[in-house]
Amino acid sequence: MFRNYLKIAFRSLARYKFISFINLFGLTIGLSCCLIILTYLVNETSYDKFNKKADRIYRITRSFNNDQGIVSLHLSAVAPPIAPLMQNDFREIEKITRLLPAGTTPVRYGDKLFNEQNVAFADSNLLGVFDIKLLKGSPRTVLSEPYTAAMTPEAAHRYFGDTDPMGKVIRLNNRINVTVTGIFSPLPPNSHFHSPILLSFSTLEDSTIVGKRELENDWGGNAFYTYLLLPEKYNARSLEARLPAFLDRHMAEPGTAANNMPSRFTKLYLQPLKDIHLRSHLDDEYEENGDINRVYIFSAIALFILIIACINYMNLSTARSSLRAKEIGIRKVSGALRTEIILQFLSESTLLSYVAMLLALGLTWLTLPMLNNLTGLNLSAVSLAKPLIITPLILTPLAVGILSGLYPAFILSSFQPSKVLKGLFKVSGGNLSLRKALVVVQFSVSIVLLISTVVIFRQLHYIQNASLGFNKDHILVMNYNEGLDKNFEGFRNALLEDPHVVSAALSSRIPSGRLLDYQDAATESGDSLRPISANIKYLKVDQDFLKTYGIPILAGRDFSRQYATDSTGFVLNAAATRALGLPHPQDLVGKSFRYGDTKGRVIGIMGDFNFESMHQAILPMILAVPGGQNSRKYSHLSIKIAGNDAAGAIAHIEAVWRRYVPEIPFEYNFLDEKFDRLYQSEQRQGSLFTTFSGIAIFIACLGLLGLSAFSISQRIKEIGVRKVLGASTKQIVQLLSADFLKLVAIAAAIACPIGWFLMHGWLQDFAYRTSISWWIFLAAGALAATVALITISVQAVRAAMSNPAKSLRSE
Amino acid sequence: MIELKRISKWVNVGGKPNFILKDINLEIKEGEFVSIMGPSGSGKSSLLNIIGMLDDSSEGEYFFLGNAVHSLKEKQRSNLYKQYIGFVFQAYHLIDELTVYENIETPLIYQNIKGSERQAMVADILDRFQIVGKKDLFPTQLSGGQQQLVGIARALIAKPKLLLADEPTGNLNSRQGEEIMDLFKQLNNEGVTIIQVTHSEKNAGYGSRIINLLDGRIENSN
């Protein structure tokens, strides 16, 4: 019996080629979208699971809050003393390991000199917690001695070529020599951290790097990513509950009042390793993480596109039901039960969706490389070849076949043979309106996607073109190197010898990065200083910073080398004066101010500017040019150049750099490019939305094409009669198109509020955002209507142009 | 074999019943060849459809080989029908997507008969109707008479006791019509009970009994 079904299915597919093509094509594209998004899903949810002990690994995170309990900062890295103290206090912890990212580090071996990115210091038991495979070296001793390192084969090849890397000495930052004692296989792409070179943690005890004392006592240096390996079946929450007491035990000065204990202002949390990639959005993630919401959004889109394709099948199958009515009648007369007819149509739709699935697998395989380019992801169709995924992959077409075939099957199997065989059969009105409702669903989804696309691009345009409060053009940024400490004045003067170099400035952080440092502050109140609760972010700069970035002074003055007292002077931004409750910037100028341990005066107020991405609001900020022991230790160098000869200026800067720090590679970025990169994920989201909404509209229009072709063929006699009665071609086209345009209009009416709601939510993620103007809805609706109109009118015009004599004779 | 008691059939038009069949009492014995005649709209086809279990009556009782058809469930009725009844139509009603062979085979599929057995049965009937050479053709490749022959072969494939024919020669020319009627006569002689709806006195003459319908009632039966 099944063979008979298949035979009939194949033959009727072949007979109605146009409709079959629409169905197959729509389902194929719908399933391809699903497959592609499935590979994305598989990739996103696989993060860190390559670690066999992933279930038992937790990261310690630390939050800071004010006395009202409002969290101002939540870091995924903590202070260095926490790890050894916890290991000591909580014996049940199996292992505890730390990673300290050292960022981009110049590494030299002989004449090979590279800026290595993502170098990190790692505790020797890192390999015992994470599944990092040691290719060379002893697992027991690797990373244990000071001044030793382990690296990936790729990094080793960079420096040593094909010679044995073990025991070779590399020079970091032109300052410390480190011996290679291990080679490890690189971390897989789905790890939340990566590093080509790991340095032994004990190296940090060198006081020119961090120092033993700081490692044991510095509770403020929250830069150490700390991971726990807990015993099996251990309740992490119960450990977490004991952490406030732990903090108080170790952090509190003797005699601290009970209501002023450290745990009131800072908290530690245990975060499951497997949650890091998708569910952690802390202020200092190791690498850029994914987002569970994005996973949900794209899953929903894939599902909707598949539903649109299924609706095509339902609509076209029921629309065409009169063509199959005779066959069904005969089958019933031949003794078929209704369930057998239903089964037959279900096997037809299932067959179609399996064919579509095969085609979709091919299409996915072909398009994934393209998509990887577009998104920067590294997806592979091979990742689907897992038992856990293959089962649903095999069952999906069955589900799709049943979903799209069930309704037509019920409709078709309900035909009464005595009627259809007599030719009395007519498509009933009820299922016509359902078909219309389904078209409305398709276009609603498409229009929502269109609206989303427009809003995403509008917001991107807005944040990329909004005034940042400073001039980001023609600014080169690079890592400052301590080799310049000895003679920075000379270096700067040498840079300025070229008239195309406008200015050069030092700072602890640069715009487009995050602004995370802060200390407590106090402001003048009468004769004394009163602590303030506002959280003012700290930026260490030199006298040329404001000038280089073109940040305006609103009151008072900029830092100047002419005033020795500027080492205790502060410049705050307007947001800080507002946070202090002062309406006018000049009110604060000249006032005493304490920030951290430095007591001094406010010398100026600068304009607000967007230091961080547009996701963050402009925060209260304080700038200082500390003197004495803290005078150096800058991290970044920014150089403003004239726009007319960038290449020449850069060549000059490089030459000067090579003269002063020849042992450090010269590398730079343009600041505006760094800002653009902040919105890379939105860019990708935008292009994906464009693709998906295009696909959705396309499939919906395919369905419309089939449906309108059919409905016009049904009305061919009516058209003939109308033409004989004197209707013009235009009137007929209007008549035929109006029906479908009405549906698109209803769809737009449904889609607009949904689109508004969704995109309003999306925009909340930005502190600075564009408005959702009415024209977006109009444009999206108009676009959908236009595409639909073009689709229908091709058919309508042909029908309207046909000779009525012909269509009437055929009756 | 067939016993109809006070069978009526109506449809509601504007709230009022519009009778298609009224108070039909009829008995047909096994081996009869009955022709139902009457003008258009007299209810001939409706009566045939009720007898063929394609349609329900609105009222009355229908016994088929002792089974109370009016109170059977769909499945039981379908079983009864599959086993004993074959249908032939004026417009042949072959499935266009299936070949002659497959069209004839279809009823057997719904009776869950094994593949090898089906093959033998279809081969048998193809042979008997001398259409072996046409078995791989599609219906559109056949003449009307040939299509009707296939239709009859399909109706007979499951060896029914009762053959129902709704104007089987209506779409055929006279020569083809005669051939079909001769075939019916021969089948009847072999013991198949036949009920046909026809307009033609000549075709009715092949039967053993004629029932005249007028406005949903039996006018006379002889």
Side-chain angles (χ1 to χ4, degrees), chain A residues 89-109:
Chain A
D89 288 16
F90 306 105
R91 289 300 159 118
E92 60 270 35
I93 295 174
E94 279 189 15
K95 279 181 184 126
I96 187 159
T97 191
R98 288 167 293 182
L99 267 175
L100 174 68
T104 304
T105 309
V107 176
R108 200 180 74 197
Y109 176 76

Side-chain angles (χ1 to χ4, degrees), chain A residues 1 4-5 7-8 11-12 15-16 323-324 326-327 329-341 344 416-422, chain B residues 45 49 54-55 74-75 78 81-82 85 87 89 91 93-99 102-103 105-112 118 138 154 166:
Chain A
M1 182 170 328
N4 188 274
Y5 290 167
K7 212 166 6 187
I8 258 279
R11 290 194 191 146
S12 75
R15 175 152 169 198
Y16 305 107
L323 299 178
R324 303 288 297 269
K326 189 182 106 182
E327 178 198 333
I330 297 165
R331 282 182 184 278
K332 285 196 165 179
V333 168
S334 302
L337 289 173
R338 185 167 181 195
T339 47
E340 286 169 319
I341 302 278
Q344 180 195 338
Q416 279 189 337
S418 60
K419 284 196 183 128
V420 294
L421 295 180
K422 269 264 161 187
Chain B
S45 294
N49 284 338
L54 297 181
D55 218 343
E74 192 207 340
K75 190 145 190 174
S78 169
Y81 169 90
K82 280 195 272 195
I85 300 179
F87 233 111
F89 302 93
H93 286 331
L94 302 175
I95 298 177
D96 295 334
E97 287 82 9
L98 296 181
T99 62
E102 289 158 353
N103 262 294
E105 187 189 25
T106 306
L108 299 179
I109 289 171
Y110 292 116
Q111 296 192 23
N112 295 321
R118 288 206 303 260
F138 286 90
R154 184 180 61 187
D166 194 348

